[in-house]
Amino acid sequence: MLQLKWNHGYQFVGYYAAKEMGYYKAAGLDVDIRALQPGQDVVAEVLSGKANYGSGTSGLLLARQDGAPVVVLATIFQHSPYVIIAKRFKENQSIHDLSQKPILLRRLSDELQVYLRSERVDLKNMTAFSPGMDTVESSSMAQYSLYQDT
């Protein structure tokens, strides 16, 4: 069982192609590829034995740091697909100007939190959001995180 970190989609095409082309079968594996369901956590699915493998994010490193017995087998993306979109409120705005402003971060965007912390951006006004909240209309948010797929 391969637990995906998200819904079935193009970003996992390598897994689907390997299955279709018989690579898993040739290696003696009968692989079932499962989409993430609401409320599920990939690391928890693997640790509980409900999945043998999982696709994840840099959050896996945080889980390992917290003592979870997990390892990274491969790095598929060489850069983060997450970006921060911010409202412009002054000329020559930088990431530091966004400190203490409301920010809405996508679930699974741990690397953005690490980046913001390394830049000493205050995250006390951070709001995390989960699948299904991709289009949030709120004038109270100064910045949003998005998944950039190109």
Side-chain angles (χ1 to χ4, degrees), residues 38-139:
Q40 281 184 320
D41 175 80
V42 175
V43 174
E45 292 295 301
V46 172
L47 292 178
S48 70
K50 294 178 183 173
N52 302 96
Y53 300 96
S55 67
T57 66
S58 54
L60 185 62
L61 299 174
L62 299 173
R64 173 75 180 212
Q65 182 179 1
D66 290 341
V70 294
V71 296
V72 175
L73 297 177
T75 302
I76 307 301
F77 280 118
Q78 296 299 313
H79 66 278
S80 173
Y82 291 101
V83 297
I84 296 174
I85 304 296
K87 293 179 182 178
R88 184 181 203 161
F89 56 90
K90 74 175 210 176
E91 289 295 320
N92 300 318
Q93 183 170 313
S94 78
I95 194 72
H96 302 285
D97 295 313
L98 300 175
S99 190
Q100 298 183 1
K101 300 228 181 286
I103 181 171
L104 193 62
L105 287 182
R106 288 180 66 103
R107 190 172 77 89
L108 303 175
S109 61
D110 300 307
E111 59 267 34
L112 286 181
Q113 291 182 48
V114 170
Y115 166 69
L116 292 169
R117 286 184 184 130
S118 74
E119 290 294 325
R120 294 183 177 20
V121 173
D122 187 349
L123 297 178
K124 71 178 178 187
N125 292 322
M126 181 184 77
T127 301
F129 72 102
S130 56
M133 293 179 64
D134 289 349
T135 54
V136 176
E137 294 183 29
S138 173
S139 60

Side-chain angles (χ1 to χ4, degrees), residues 16-29:
Y16 309 127
K19 183 171 180 160
E20 281 299 312
M21 296 177 77
Y23 293 138
Y24 298 134
K25 188 174 183 178
L29 301 171

Side-chain angles (χ1 to χ4, degrees), residues 2-8 33-37 40:
L2 170 60
Q3 177 64 63
L4 301 177
K5 67 177 181 175
W6 200 246
N7 299 322
H8 292 292
I33 302 171
R34 187 172 62 191
L36 190 68
Q37 299 299 310
Q40 281 184 320

